[in-house]
Amino acid sequence: MAANMVRFRGGAWGPLRRFGLAAYRKYSSGGGCPNVPLTSPLPGVPKPVFATVDGQEKFETKVTTLENGLRIASQNKFGQFCTVGILINSGSRHEAKYLSGISHCLEKLAFSSTAQFGSKDEILLTLEKHGGICDCQASRDTMMYAVSADAKGLDTVVNLLADVVLQPRLSDEEIEMTRMAVQFELEDLNMRPDPEPLLTEMIHAAAYRENTVGLNRFCPVENIEKMDRKVLHSYLQNYYTPDRMVLAGVGIEHEQLVECARKYLLGVDPVWKSDKPKQVDKSVAQYTGGIIKLEKDMSDVSLGPTPIPELTHIMIGLESCSFLEEDFIPFAVLNMMMGGGGSFSAGGPGKGMFTRLYLNVLNRHHWMYNATSYHHSYEDTGLLCIHASADPRQVREMVEIITKEFISMAGAVGEVELERAKTQLKSMLMMNLESRPVIFEDVGRQVLATNTRKLPHELCSLIGNVKPNDIKRVVAKMLRNKPAVAALGDLTELPTYEHIQGALSSKDGRLPRMYRLFR
């Protein structure tokens, strides 16, 4: 018997205590039931009882609206820590009547001194007592103040958030430090080897020229010194209002969050209190298309023993749709199907090699250093774009390869590649939603835009329903628009905007032929 023994947790005799010595001898020797498949229950063994999820309702997002218009959204999640924050319908897209760059400065000023807390250090020490960290992020359409801390410190966290958002001191010293931080970030943006953030700014400016999401997300150099308390207060009194805010929390009980919101966010007068009528920009994004070029010497971007080669970067985009439209899901699947990345992948050979930009572009044209698809979506518009980079002498050929890929999107969609893209999108969605801060942002952004939240299983169901005809339909609609183009680097070989537009209007995506007597 000793030869047949298998050691289990709790000692070798654990199985014998459960099933009896005779039964163990019979089945462990293989002589009793030699042909019983593993899928069949063993005779005499009790039927197992598995743990089950006690209904879906426990994990749904709950939303409550207070008398002042503030929305409170929460989702309970097992764990000791919670993530709580305030999201505001405010961002660079709302700065048309103000100095450009206010949101950028407010992001840097976040979690500084307030009416209750004398300095940033005091705020950090308060959070430290609850194992907490804080962050503020400004985007084109949303400001997000967030804290992750022990759930037992919820009252302190909501009190702190209310004070940070509604009662900032904005002292002269803090504003001066912010000016320096903004100046440094702008210098870093122009010097960093990765040009993607700069190209993203340029493609938005080209696609939505001087309106809404096309307005600069970063503070222009000429506006840095103009930022003062008066300018910031004039903006805050219009956009930091309860009806434009959502208090979102993950990992806490909804009733507890509502109670804290009533205590600290209801009937509180902000420091910029004013009786003036609010002047809120309700402009809808107007897609214009166009080109923005920035001639720049990229030869010294990365010096050293193994410098990055001098490259020219191109980003070509077309209008897609807003995240509120049904076509948003097919566009998300299309973006995943295009995929792409750099010619060198840290994941090793085979990583992401099944997407179109790998199969059709990077695998066939070794001289291209990058080909990546991006999808930016907002409440009233969206932008699908491809970023590519290569040696300045091969820019024209690179642009033609990208325009061909846009045209081929409208062609046949293979069942296998579509299923792979859908599975990859579902996988990415579910893996991201394993993270509590990501759930928090998802809850806050969805409730801010729609007053409700689509749960992950609903989104997965919508992704699964996407058919090849859906992809063809959204691409045909997208290709009817004028392109938006951003170009950075040595642009000697860059085709004209009219030629790029002509290629995207043709059947094969080819640029018009050019004949030169002299080179």
Side-chain angles (χ1 to χ4, degrees):
M1 188 180 79
N4 292 322
M5 286 298 287
V6 180
R7 291 199 171 271
F8 289 84
R9 288 187 185 275
W13 296 95
L16 305 190
R17 292 196 195 100
R18 287 196 293 272
F19 305 129
L21 189 59
Y24 183 76
R25 281 185 180 142
K26 183 177 178 183
Y27 293 114
S28 65
S29 65
C33 290
N35 297 320
V36 174
L38 292 175
T39 52
S40 300
L42 288 171
V45 176
K47 189 177 178 182
V49 179
F50 296 103
T52 56
V53 177
D54 189 19
Q56 189 70 41
E57 65 277 357
K58 283 191 176 179
F59 304 96
E60 287 182 0
T61 302
K62 295 180 180 177
V63 182
T64 299
T65 305
L66 298 185
E67 296 87 315
N68 63 355
L70 175 77
R71 285 157 288 176
I72 301 146
S74 75
Q75 176 152 337
N76 211 341
K77 182 179 169 67
F78 178 78
Q80 180 185 351
F81 281 77
C82 65
T83 298
V84 182
I86 295 176
L87 292 92
I88 306 160
N89 187 4
S90 156
S92 58
R93 70 169 296 162
H94 301 106
E95 293 172 0
K97 297 177 182 176
Y98 297 88
L99 279 176
S100 179
I102 288 177
S103 298
H104 189 195
C105 290
L106 288 173
E107 178 189 49
K108 301 297 174 206
L109 278 163
F111 295 99
S112 296
S113 64
T114 67
Q116 286 185 49
F117 301 93
S119 66
K120 181 172 287 213
D121 288 345
E122 200 174 317
I123 287 175
L124 295 177
L125 284 169
T126 303
L127 286 175
E128 196 177 303
K129 293 173 186 174
H130 301 283
I133 55 172
C134 60
D135 188 28
C136 176
Q137 291 180 11
S139 63
R140 288 187 157 75
D141 52 359
T142 311
M143 284 290 292
M144 184 170 69
Y145 298 80
V147 171
S148 285
D150 193 307
K152 292 175 183 174
L154 180 66
D155 190 82
T156 304
V157 166
V158 176
N159 177 26
L160 190 149
L161 281 167
D163 216 43
V164 163
V165 173
L166 299 175
Q167 305 283 337
R169 284 187 183 168
L170 305 180
S171 69
D172 293 340
E173 185 184 352
E174 287 167 349
I175 289 172
E176 188 55 42
M177 290 293 288
T178 295
R179 288 173 183 152
M180 292 167 63
V182 168
Q183 180 78 43
F184 174 80
E185 192 166 333
L186 293 177
E187 289 172 7
D188 178 63
L189 191 68
N190 288 310
M191 290 170 62
R192 61 193 297 175
D194 175 24
E196 196 267 324
L198 190 56
L199 277 167
T200 301
E201 285 305 303
M202 292 167 66
I203 196 84
H204 278 83
Y208 307 93
R209 197 168 286 271
E210 296 179 2
N211 77 90
T212 58
V213 293
L215 299 176
N216 201 336
R217 193 167 71 85
F218 297 102
C219 181
V221 175
E222 62 271 16
N223 287 354
I224 293 176
E225 290 302 319
K226 298 175 186 174
M227 294 293 170
D228 57 27
R229 193 185 298 106
K230 185 180 178 182
V231 169
L232 296 173
H233 276 183
S234 70
Y235 178 87
L236 289 167
Q237 72 182 17
N238 287 323
Y239 287 97
Y240 277 40
T241 55
D243 56 303
R244 299 178 67 83
M245 293 182 185
V246 168
L247 173 67
V250 176
I252 31 82
E253 294 289 343
H254 185 72
E255 292 73 21
Q256 196 181 354
L257 188 62
V258 172
E259 187 182 326
C260 290
R262 287 186 177 280
K263 187 175 176 183
Y264 297 113
L265 288 161
L266 191 62
V268 177
D269 290 330
V271 73
W272 52 83
K273 185 181 179 184
S274 170
D275 297 325
K276 291 180 183 177
K278 298 178 183 64
Q279 298 176 331
V280 175
D281 183 10
K282 296 182 179 178
S283 306
V284 176
Q286 301 296 317
Y287 182 84
T288 59
I291 185 168
I292 286 187
K293 299 186 283 188
L294 181 57
E295 286 271 3
K296 188 178 177 187
D297 181 9
M298 306 287 281
S299 60
D300 60 349
V301 167
S302 177
L303 302 174
T306 53
I308 293 174
E310 182 183 354
L311 301 174
T312 295
H313 300 269
I314 306 293
M315 198 177 268
I316 300 175
L318 290 164
E319 187 180 21
S320 57
C321 71
S322 91
F323 56 69
L324 299 177
E325 296 178 47
E326 289 183 3
D327 284 346
F328 171 68
I329 298 293
F331 268 116
V333 174
L334 171 65
N335 180 54
M336 193 59 68
M337 201 165 73
M338 298 308 295
S343 58
F344 171 78
S345 168
K351 178 169 172 273
M353 291 297 178
F354 289 105
T355 60
R356 285 194 180 186
L357 291 179
Y358 265 114
L359 291 173
N360 304 342
V361 179
L362 293 168
N363 287 358
R364 295 184 184 183
H365 307 284
H366 63 89
W367 46 269
M368 284 185 67
Y369 282 80
N370 181 48
T372 312
S373 175
Y374 297 97
H375 188 216
H376 306 278
S377 199
Y378 305 96
E379 202 171 343
D380 49 3
T381 186
L383 192 64
L384 184 87
C385 43
I386 295 177
H387 167 210
S389 51
D391 187 277
R393 292 165 294 184
Q394 292 168 303
V395 169
R396 186 177 179 83
E397 192 178 349
M398 173 175 69
V399 170
E400 185 172 82
I401 288 166
I402 299 306
T403 54
K404 283 180 181 177
E405 282 305 307
F406 270 110
I407 297 299
S408 70
M409 287 181 195
V413 179
E415 196 65 41
V416 174
E417 71 167 342
L418 180 62
E419 285 303 316
R420 182 182 286 117
K422 284 156 62 173
T423 304
Q424 195 174 352
L425 184 58
K426 290 180 195 175
S427 171
M428 189 174 288
L429 173 72
M430 299 310 290
M431 283 193 294
N432 284 338
L433 289 173
E434 286 288 308
S435 165
R436 193 183 58 253
V438 174
I439 300 173
F440 155 76
E441 188 172 345
D442 183 50
V443 169
R445 284 183 181 275
Q446 285 202 51
V447 172
L448 192 65
T450 65
N451 291 324
T452 184
R453 180 185 180 228
K454 277 192 172 75
L455 292 172
H457 66 87
E458 295 176 74
L459 292 170
C460 285
S461 176
L462 291 170
I463 293 166
N465 292 335
V466 174
K467 300 288 187 289
N469 285 341
D470 295 321
I471 301 293
K472 289 183 181 179
R473 175 173 50 79
V474 297
V475 171
K477 176 182 168 186
M478 180 176 69
L479 286 171
R480 288 197 287 266
N481 294 316
K482 291 170 63 179
V485 182
L488 175 68
D490 182 346
L491 308 179
T492 310
E493 295 294 319
L494 180 70
T496 64
Y497 178 75
E498 290 71 26
H499 282 183
I500 296 172
Q501 189 175 358
L504 288 169
S505 303
S506 67
K507 289 183 179 180
D508 57 4
R510 289 183 179 276
L511 291 166
R513 296 300 95 191
M514 288 185 68
Y515 302 98
R516 298 180 185 173
L517 291 174
F518 305 102
R519 278 191 175 271

